[in-house]
Amino acid sequence: MGRIVQKFGGTSVANVECIKNAANKVLIEHNKGNQVIVVVSAMAGTTNQLINYIEQITDLYDPKEYDVIVSAGEQWNAGLMALALQNLGLNARSWLGWQIAIQTDQVHSKARILGVEIDAIEAALVNTEIVVVPGFQGVSNNRITTLGRGGSDLTAVALAGALNADRCDIFTDVDGIYTADPRLVSKAQKLGKITYEEMLEMASLGSKVLQTRSVELAMNYGVNLQVRSSFDDKPGTIVVSEEEIVEQQVVSGISQSKEESKITLLKIADKPGIAASIFGPLADASINVDMIVQNISEDGNTTDLTFTVSTTDLKNALEVLETRANNIGVGQIIADSNVVKISVVGIGMRSHAGIAQKMFMALADKGINIKVISTSEIKVSVLVAEEYGELAVRALHSAYGLDSN
Ligand code: ADP
Ligand code: ASP
Ligand code: MG
């Protein structure tokens, strides 16, 4: 007898028909003699709709009430899923985040899981009950918290880790993890396996097929993670550790993120301590800075500094910088949100040279100008104008030989 977590994303439980279809997948695992924990997202579009209601009332919203509202979509789907399973003759009940309890910190709207209490669920599973859990929600200090957008993946992985599940299946609207978003690149290829490290980079660089923190947790706890389709029975993509990959591609995937904005500070003083006086206050305001480039000083006295922040932080970052502009001695602050970050990812880069060069050549061939570059051991990222984003992804996909025939 195995123990399996099955997570169904928004499009997989988008309406009653889909919920019934998902319930049948649970029945199949149950009939194989497995214990099943089911994690459900809200119906596709529901969370956005709930956020839209909040925005119609106020922009200065209380994050505790935000969490009460946005967690609701998962809650009703958990109840509907439990009913659909009961309708198939199964013994099923819903367990809300606070009932389990999934304990989190108090950072409402993007809380981190601190621990999962498993005793009650263990007892239910032993009693052949199907445990249905709404994704995305936890509890802190007797208040509902949510785990950040896409957080149902994290709920599933956290439960799989805490309950020592044999497998965590993430059912979604694509049949696996591809070399690039298959909705963007028609020649993208499905990967049989991908390493945790590569998937972690790809997720954090914009491939939202899995939520970034869920991959991190799966890697730390060695959770056997699989992404597969809820609309067919094909095997999906397994996320594995590096040792399990026999033939390593140099580049495994291309990611794109539209959620970055570029800030350029013109004519700042070229002297020690300036970078600290800029990035210190941004860090104090919890603003993460990603790519950074500083120009060579032409006159020896001043220089220009360009960096990126998440577009959701842009307004806040500009306020922080403008209030300190006099102290820093900035000539001008320029912001640009019409940019996109394109990244190539692969653990094979550790042992192969020339990956970045190939990227620059492929982009130059298409006449695409690179605004900022950053690299790490297993990725190279570039920032380009938004209008060239899709062209850049496709050009790189071909350049690294990832196109299907
Ligand atoms: P769910 O609602 O099931 O959580 P998501 O929308 O969060 O689904 O994730 C699935 C989507 O991820 C797909 O529809 C696909 O467009 C997108 N995606 C982005 N990059 C990739 C990739 N490399 N491989 C597969 N899907 C990707
Ligand atoms: N419903 C939440 C969202 O849309 C969580 C999830 O679906 O994973 O972000
Ligand atoms: Mg998702």
Side-chain angles (χ1 to χ4, degrees):
M1 184 180 58
R3 180 174 280 185
I4 293 165
V5 174
Q6 294 186 307
K7 179 259 171 176
F8 295 94
T11 40
S12 308
V13 284
N15 53 44
V16 170
E17 271 324 296
C18 291
I19 292 176
K20 289 182 181 170
N21 170 62
N24 272 310
K25 295 209 173 282
V26 179
L27 178 66
I28 291 168
E29 287 301 342
H30 172 84
N31 285 347
K32 288 183 195 159
N34 292 316
Q35 295 177 338
V36 191
I37 301 99
V38 186
V39 175
V40 287
S41 284
M43 292 183 181
T46 299
T47 310
N48 287 345
Q49 177 67 67
L50 294 171
I51 293 173
N52 181 269
Y53 290 146
I54 298 171
E55 287 169 352
Q56 286 181 47
I57 293 180
T58 170
D59 353 299
L60 293 171
Y61 55 73
D62 167 2
K64 295 189 177 79
E65 297 306 337
Y66 169 96
D67 280 350
V68 171
I69 299 157
V70 299
S71 59
E74 269 72 12
Q75 175 162 329
W76 93 55
N77 259 358
L80 289 173
M81 175 60 85
L83 292 181
L85 292 167
Q86 288 173 8
N87 214 30
L88 294 173
L90 298 172
N91 174 18
R93 75 155 269 197
S94 61
W95 292 81
L96 305 184
W98 61 269
Q99 291 170 323
I100 291 177
I102 298 177
Q103 299 287 355
T104 72
D105 64 17
Q106 290 185 47
V107 185
H108 284 268
S109 83
K110 45 182 177 207
R112 295 188 81 90
I113 295 180
L114 301 175
V116 179
E117 290 161 29
I118 56 167
D119 294 355
I121 304 188
E122 282 283 2
L125 290 170
V126 168
N127 206 17
T128 66
E129 186 179 294
I130 311 279
V131 169
V132 183
V133 180
F136 186 47
Q137 60 171 247
V139 63
S140 177
N141 230 358
N142 211 22
R143 303 284 316 245
I144 292 183
T145 52
T146 62
L147 308 174
R149 297 305 305 267
S152 298
D153 293 338
L154 184 60
T155 307
V157 171
L159 285 168
L163 292 163
N164 214 355
D166 298 288
R167 229 174 54 223
C168 180
D169 284 351
I170 305 288
F171 287 91
T172 184
D173 56 2
V174 282
D175 60 3
I177 299 166
Y178 280 69
T179 46
D181 186 344
R183 296 187 200 288
L184 208 67
V185 181
S186 58
K187 290 183 173 171
Q189 296 189 60
K190 183 168 137 186
L191 299 162
K193 291 178 181 175
I194 186 167
T195 64
Y196 291 112
E197 263 183 297
E198 288 166 314
M199 191 58 234
L200 184 57
E201 283 283 6
M202 281 176 64
S204 73
L205 295 167
S207 301
K208 291 194 175 156
V209 58
L210 285 173
Q211 191 230 28
T212 308
R213 270 158 52 204
S214 73
V215 185
E216 199 177 2
L217 199 70
M219 178 160 87
N220 292 344
Y221 288 91
V223 171
N224 194 347
L225 194 60
Q226 177 174 206
V227 173
R228 56 194 304 187
S229 168
S230 43
F231 304 104
D232 65 39
D233 292 322
K234 285 191 244 163
T237 302
I238 326 173
V239 190
V240 296
S241 53
E242 206 171 322
E243 306 81 66
E244 290 174 67
I245 301 269
V246 184
E247 254 181 72
Q248 185 57 54
Q249 301 246 47
V250 179
V251 168
S252 296
I254 318 281
S255 299
Q256 173 186 257
S257 168
K258 291 184 176 167
E259 288 166 16
E260 306 240 342
S261 290
K262 178 168 77 75
I263 297 177
T264 301
L265 306 181
L266 292 179
K267 294 209 174 299
I268 53 170
D270 192 14
K271 62 178 189 196
I274 285 295
S277 69
I278 294 165
F279 296 123
L282 290 174
D284 292 343
S286 300
I287 296 167
N288 273 336
V289 171
D290 181 21
M291 310 166 98
I292 304 178
V293 47
Q294 182 173 336
N295 290 355
I296 294 175
S297 172
E298 274 177 23
D299 54 10
N301 299 321
T302 62
T303 184
D304 304 336
L305 184 72
T306 298
F307 53 89
T308 61
V309 296
S310 153
T311 299
T312 50
D313 287 334
L314 179 63
K315 194 165 154 255
N316 202 354
L318 291 175
E319 275 168 23
V320 168
L321 293 167
E322 271 151 19
T323 52
R324 284 168 178 77
N326 281 344
N327 296 354
I328 304 166
V330 180
Q332 199 185 345
I333 304 174
I334 303 170
D336 181 3
S337 53
N338 296 323
V339 289
V340 31
K341 182 168 70 175
I342 314 288
S343 309
V344 300
V345 175
I347 50 172
M349 279 185 207
R350 290 193 192 123
S351 47
H352 285 79
I355 306 299
Q357 176 59 7
K358 187 175 256 182
M359 185 173 197
F360 305 150
M361 298 275 287
L363 295 174
D365 271 356
K366 298 283 179 200
I368 301 173
N369 187 33
I370 299 171
K371 294 171 185 279
V372 189
I373 302 167
S374 76
T375 62
S376 78
E377 205 187 13
I378 66 163
K379 70 124 205 266
V380 185
S381 301
V382 294
L383 200 69
V384 302
E386 191 168 13
E387 69 233 59
Y388 294 119
E390 293 186 10
L391 177 64
V393 172
R394 290 196 196 102
L396 294 171
H397 200 267
S398 298
Y400 290 104
L402 298 174
D403 286 354
S404 60
N405 296 320

